Amino acid sequence: AQAIVATDRGRLAEVRAEHQGLARERQARSQRLEAIARETANWTARGDSGRAQIATLGERRDQTAAALADIADGPSEIDEKRRALMREIEAAEKARSETADRLASAESEAAAADKAANLALTALGETREARARAEERLTAMQERRADIETRIREALNCAPHEAFAATGLAANDQMPDIEQLERKVDRLRIERERLGAVNLRAEEEQQELVERLDTLVKERDDVVAAIAELRSAISSLNREGRERLLSAFDAVQGHFTRLFTHLFGGGTAELQLIESDDPLEAGLEIVARPPGKKPQTMTLLSGGEQALTAMALIFAVFLTNPAPICVLDEVDAPLDDHNVERFCDLMDQMARETSTRFVIITHNPITMARMDRLFGVTMAEQGVSQLVSVDLSQAEELREAS
């Protein structure tokens, strides 16, 4: 019975294989028939389109033949128009020549007229200049006369025509020496000036000066008091500033020493105020002693040691007054793998001690592996970028579940 069943199963498998082959062949023939039907419809549409195009070309051929018949007589008409245009051009050339002759004659006459006009304008300008000079002399003489009349009225307190009578001279008397009279007038003027003027407002001016002096004294006292108050405020601010600076310096010093030891796995470091006893004017110097080395300033450390020391100082200042968000841009670039691990340990410790969210920009795979979430930019298509986010803790859970 098992042999019969095996034989039947073999025949059943052969029949199934043959049935599947026939089904595939039927499906292929159905697809071929559908393709042939689509191709037939396509060729039918192309035939209809070809017949429509043939009809359109026939119409265009008829239109072209009609247009060709219409322009068959065109060359003779164009030749006739050309001869007519040539005759018109000859007439126009003759008229142009005559007009050019008349234009040359008119230009000669215009040049002569311009020359005469220029001469007339030159003469007119000279005449105007002479008239202006005469008017200026007349104006100057009038002003001089008015000035003399004014001086006579001011000096003699009489009209100009009465000045001669005030001299006591007769009409035929000889005029006195002008220089002698001027010297006498100068002497009399000096004697009058020596007498001085009487100040009728002296008492009022004294009272005004006394009031002004009192005002200035009061303002000076106010300024002196304000200066004293300002100096006291400055002293108070400096004292409070020194106290706050020293308090912040001690806090940063403690964080810096602890972070330096944590990053270097040992050693010590301290901050020193230099160049002045006043904390507000002093400079800052970093003295570090990595494990196995003697104390030295920061400039004598290696590049990686300087990076770790600077990182410890920055985070020490940050721990003094933490912020909600801290962005670090490739701070692990100058570090080797061992120091990168220390940096990541420091990040974990600070994340636990503070409520700060750290955003780190890095290309280091070690740093990326220690982060909680990764954000990257990919370019699936040319010129089209996309932001990708990965939650590493969730990814680890999915990997463990799988």
Side-chain angles (χ1 to χ4, degrees):
Q2 290 179 352
I4 293 171
V5 170
T7 303
D8 292 341
R9 285 180 177 176
R11 291 180 60 190
L12 179 60
E14 292 176 358
V15 171
R16 284 182 177 176
E18 185 178 359
H19 179 268
Q20 291 177 356
L22 293 174
R24 286 194 298 271
E25 185 177 357
R26 182 182 61 81
Q27 185 178 3
R29 289 181 179 181
S30 298
Q31 293 176 354
R32 176 60 179 166
L33 288 174
E34 291 176 358
I36 291 172
R38 288 194 299 271
E39 189 173 356
T40 302
N42 187 16
W43 281 107
T44 301
R46 292 181 63 182
D48 295 339
S49 176
R51 284 189 293 272
Q53 188 173 5
I54 290 172
T56 302
L57 292 176
E59 293 177 358
R60 292 180 61 186
R61 180 188 61 188
D62 296 338
Q63 292 175 0
T64 304
L68 182 62
D70 292 338
I71 64 174
D73 297 333
S76 59
E77 294 177 358
I78 293 173
D79 189 39
E80 182 64 26
K81 291 180 180 179
R82 184 180 62 80
R83 286 194 294 271
L85 290 174
M86 290 297 295
R87 289 192 296 270
E88 292 178 0
I89 290 172
E90 291 176 357
E93 286 289 339
K94 184 177 180 181
R96 187 190 64 80
S97 178
E98 294 175 355
T99 304
D101 295 338
R102 290 196 299 272
L103 178 61
S105 178
E107 288 178 349
S108 299
E109 295 176 357
D114 291 340
K115 185 175 180 181
N118 292 331
L119 294 175
L121 290 175
T122 302
L124 178 61
E126 294 176 354
T127 304
R128 287 178 177 175
E129 291 178 358
R131 178 183 176 182
R133 288 193 295 269
E135 290 178 352
E136 290 177 357
R137 288 196 299 271
L138 177 60
T139 303
M141 294 301 294
Q142 291 176 351
E143 292 177 355
R144 184 178 178 186
R145 178 182 174 180
D147 186 26
I148 292 173
E149 291 178 354
T150 303
R151 292 176 60 188
I152 289 173
R153 288 189 180 91
E154 292 177 353
L156 304 179
N157 195 18
C158 65
H161 62 276
E162 298 175 354
F164 185 76
T167 61
L169 298 175
N172 297 326
D173 291 345
Q174 186 178 1
M175 296 295 293
D177 188 7
I178 300 298
E179 295 181 358
Q180 184 177 359
L181 291 176
E182 289 180 350
R183 286 194 297 269
K184 184 178 180 180
V185 170
D186 292 338
R187 179 174 56 79
L188 294 175
R189 186 180 292 111
I190 292 172
E191 291 178 357
R192 185 191 65 182
E193 292 177 354
R194 286 177 181 175
L195 295 177
V198 177
N199 188 3
L200 301 178
R201 297 184 68 257
E203 186 176 357
E204 297 178 0
E205 292 179 356
Q206 180 185 7
Q207 184 64 27
E208 292 176 358
L209 292 175
V210 169
E211 294 177 356
R212 184 179 178 186
L213 178 61
D214 294 338
T215 302
L216 292 176
V217 171
K218 183 178 180 181
E219 292 179 353
R220 186 201 62 180
D221 295 338
D222 293 340
V223 171
V224 171
I227 292 174
E229 184 178 357
L230 182 61
R231 287 178 177 173
S232 175
I234 292 174
S235 177
S236 176
L237 289 175
N238 288 336
R239 182 172 60 256
E240 184 177 358
R242 292 186 185 93
E243 293 175 357
R244 291 189 178 185
L245 178 60
L246 292 175
S247 176
F249 180 79
D250 294 338
V252 173
Q253 175 81 283
H255 292 306
F256 175 66
T257 303
R258 179 172 58 84
L259 294 178
F260 183 88
T261 304
H262 177 79
L263 286 174
F264 281 87
T268 59
E270 64 177 354
L271 302 176
Q272 296 179 356
L273 296 175
I274 60 173
E275 297 179 359
S276 177
D277 296 334
D278 188 356
L280 297 177
E281 298 179 359
L284 181 65
E285 186 175 34
I286 301 175
V287 178
R289 186 180 66 81
K293 294 185 179 181
K294 62 181 181 179
Q296 52 191 341
T297 59
M298 186 173 177
T299 56
L300 300 178
L301 300 176
S302 63
E305 291 173 344
Q306 289 182 359
L308 289 177
T309 305
M311 195 179 303
L313 179 59
I314 292 173
F315 286 133
V317 176
F318 182 78
L319 287 175
T320 305
N321 187 15
I325 297 177
C326 178
V327 180
L328 303 176
D329 189 0
E330 297 191 16
V331 297
D332 55 354
L335 305 179
D336 54 15
D337 294 344
H338 183 64
N339 289 328
V340 171
E341 291 286 350
R342 292 179 176 176
F343 165 70
C344 293
D345 294 339
L346 177 62
M347 289 292 98
D348 293 338
Q349 180 180 354
M350 294 187 65
R352 290 191 302 268
E353 294 178 357
T354 63
S355 59
T356 303
R357 305 286 291 184
F358 290 94
V359 178
I360 301 177
I361 302 171
T362 181
H363 294 283
N364 195 303
I366 298 176
T367 306
M368 288 189 285
R370 296 285 296 273
M371 297 298 103
D372 297 331
R373 181 181 291 272
L374 296 179
F375 295 92
V377 179
T378 63
M379 187 177 293
E381 300 179 7
Q382 184 66 28
V384 180
S385 59
Q386 182 180 3
L387 183 65
V388 179
S389 173
V390 178
D391 190 341
L392 294 183
S393 59
Q394 186 177 2
E396 292 178 356
E397 293 177 359
L398 293 175
R399 185 185 63 179
E400 293 175 358
S402 63

